[in-house]
Coordinates of all heavy atoms in Angstrom, one line a residue:
H1 N 4.6 -18.7 -45.0 CA 4.3 -20.0 -45.4 C 3.7 -20.0 -46.8 O 3.2 -19.0 -47.3 CB 3.2 -20.6 -44.4 CG 2.0 -19.9 -44.4 ND1 1.7 -18.7 -43.7 CD2 0.8 -20.1 -45.1 CE1 0.5 -18.3 -43.9 NE2 -0.1 -19.1 -44.8
P2 N 3.8 -21.1 -47.5 CA 3.2 -21.2 -48.8 C 1.7 -21.2 -48.8 O 1.1 -21.7 -47.8 CB 3.8 -22.5 -49.4 CG 4.1 -23.3 -48.2 CD 4.5 -22.4 -47.1
V3 N 1.1 -20.7 -49.8 CA -0.4 -20.7 -49.9 C -0.9 -21.9 -50.7 O -2.0 -22.3 -50.6 CB -1.0 -19.4 -50.4 CG1 -0.8 -18.3 -49.4 CG2 -0.4 -19.0 -51.7
V4 N 0.0 -22.4 -51.6 CA -0.4 -23.6 -52.4 C 0.2 -24.8 -51.8 O 1.4 -24.9 -51.6 CB 0.2 -23.4 -53.9 CG1 -0.3 -24.6 -54.7 CG2 -0.3 -22.1 -54.5
S5 N -0.7 -25.7 -51.5 CA -0.3 -26.9 -50.7 C -1.3 -28.0 -50.8 O -2.5 -27.8 -51.1 CB -0.1 -26.5 -49.2 OG 0.2 -27.6 -48.4
F6 N -0.8 -29.2 -50.5 CA -1.7 -30.4 -50.3 C -2.3 -30.2 -48.9 O -1.7 -29.5 -48.0 CB -0.9 -31.7 -50.3 CG -0.4 -32.1 -51.7 CD1 1.0 -32.1 -51.9 CD2 -1.3 -32.5 -52.7 CE1 1.4 -32.5 -53.2 CE2 -0.8 -32.9 -53.9 CZ 0.6 -32.8 -54.2
S7 N -3.4 -30.9 -48.6 CA -3.9 -31.0 -47.3 C -3.0 -31.8 -46.4 O -2.2 -32.6 -46.9 CB -5.3 -31.6 -47.3 OG -5.3 -32.9 -47.7
E8 N -3.2 -31.7 -45.1 CA -2.3 -32.5 -44.2 C -2.6 -34.0 -44.4 O -1.6 -34.8 -44.4 CB -2.7 -32.1 -42.7 CG -1.7 -32.7 -41.7 CD -0.3 -32.3 -41.9 OE1 -0.1 -31.1 -42.3 OE2 0.6 -33.1 -41.7
S9 N -3.8 -34.4 -44.6 CA -4.1 -35.8 -44.8 C -3.5 -36.3 -46.1 O -2.9 -37.5 -46.1 CB -5.6 -36.1 -44.8 OG -6.2 -35.4 -45.9
M10 N -3.5 -35.5 -47.1 CA -2.8 -35.9 -48.4 C -1.3 -36.0 -48.2 O -0.7 -36.9 -48.7 CB -3.2 -34.9 -49.5 CG -2.6 -35.3 -50.9 SD -3.1 -36.9 -51.6 CE -4.8 -36.4 -52.1
L11 N -0.7 -35.1 -47.5 CA 0.7 -35.1 -47.2 C 1.1 -36.4 -46.5 O 2.2 -37.0 -46.9 CB 1.1 -33.9 -46.4 CG 1.2 -32.6 -47.2 CD1 1.4 -31.4 -46.2 CD2 2.3 -32.6 -48.3
V12 N 0.3 -36.8 -45.6 CA 0.6 -38.1 -44.8 C 0.6 -39.3 -45.8 O 1.5 -40.1 -45.8 CB -0.4 -38.3 -43.7 CG1 -0.2 -39.7 -43.1 CG2 -0.2 -37.2 -42.6
Q13 N -0.4 -39.3 -46.6 CA -0.6 -40.4 -47.6 C 0.6 -40.4 -48.6 O 1.1 -41.5 -49.0 CB -1.9 -40.4 -48.3 CG -3.1 -40.6 -47.3 CD -4.4 -40.5 -48.0 OE1 -5.0 -41.4 -48.4 NE2 -4.9 -39.2 -48.1
L14 N 0.9 -39.2 -49.1 CA 2.0 -39.1 -50.1 C 3.3 -39.5 -49.5 O 4.2 -40.0 -50.2 CB 2.0 -37.7 -50.7 CG 0.9 -37.3 -51.6 CD1 1.0 -35.9 -52.1 CD2 0.9 -38.3 -52.8
S15 N 3.5 -39.2 -48.2 CA 4.8 -39.6 -47.6 C 4.9 -41.1 -47.6 O 6.0 -41.6 -47.8 CB 4.8 -39.1 -46.1 OG 6.0 -39.4 -45.5
A16 N 3.9 -41.8 -47.4 CA 3.9 -43.3 -47.4 C 4.2 -43.8 -48.8 O 5.0 -44.7 -49.0 CB 2.6 -43.9 -46.9
V17 N 3.6 -43.1 -49.8 CA 3.9 -43.5 -51.2 C 5.3 -43.2 -51.6 O 6.0 -44.1 -52.2 CB 3.0 -42.6 -52.2 CG1 3.3 -42.9 -53.6 CG2 1.5 -43.0 -52.0
R18 N 5.9 -42.1 -51.2 CA 7.3 -41.8 -51.5 C 8.2 -42.8 -50.8 O 9.3 -43.2 -51.4 CB 7.6 -40.4 -51.0 CG 6.9 -39.3 -51.9 CD 7.4 -37.9 -51.5 NE 6.7 -36.9 -52.2 CZ 5.8 -36.0 -51.6 NH1 5.6 -36.1 -50.3 NH2 5.2 -35.1 -52.3
R19 N 7.9 -43.2 -49.6 CA 8.8 -44.2 -48.9 C 8.7 -45.5 -49.7 O 9.8 -46.2 -49.8 CB 8.3 -44.4 -47.4 CG 8.6 -43.2 -46.5 CD 8.5 -43.6 -45.1 NE 7.1 -44.1 -44.7 CZ 6.2 -43.3 -44.3 NH1 6.4 -42.0 -44.2 NH2 5.0 -43.8 -44.0
F20 N 7.6 -45.9 -50.1 CA 7.4 -47.1 -50.9 C 8.2 -47.0 -52.2 O 9.0 -48.0 -52.6 CB 5.9 -47.3 -51.2 CG 5.7 -48.5 -52.2 CD1 5.7 -49.8 -51.8 CD2 5.5 -48.2 -53.6 CE1 5.5 -50.8 -52.7 CE2 5.3 -49.2 -54.5 CZ 5.3 -50.5 -54.1
L21 N 8.1 -45.9 -52.9 CA 8.8 -45.8 -54.2 C 10.3 -45.8 -54.0 O 11.1 -46.4 -54.7 CB 8.4 -44.5 -54.9 CG 7.0 -44.4 -55.5 CD1 6.7 -43.0 -56.0 CD2 7.0 -45.4 -56.7
Y22 N 10.8 -45.2 -52.9 CA 12.2 -45.1 -52.6 C 12.7 -46.5 -52.3 O 13.8 -46.9 -52.9 CB 12.5 -44.2 -51.4 CG 14.0 -44.1 -51.1 CD1 14.7 -43.2 -51.8 CD2 14.6 -44.8 -50.1 CE1 16.1 -43.0 -51.5 CE2 15.9 -44.7 -49.8 CZ 16.7 -43.8 -50.5 OH 18.0 -43.6 -50.3
A23 N 12.0 -47.3 -51.5 CA 12.5 -48.6 -51.1 C 12.4 -49.6 -52.3 O 13.2 -50.5 -52.5 CB 11.7 -49.1 -49.9
N24 N 11.3 -49.5 -53.0 CA 11.0 -50.6 -54.0 C 11.3 -50.2 -55.5 O 11.4 -51.1 -56.3 CB 9.5 -50.9 -53.9 CG 9.1 -51.5 -52.6 OD1 9.3 -52.7 -52.4 ND2 8.6 -50.7 -51.7

């Protein structure tokens, strides 16, 4: 597994941001 990563909570929030950017 990678050692450099966002936290799980940040990944969840960024996923919502990416979905918004994709759609809008």
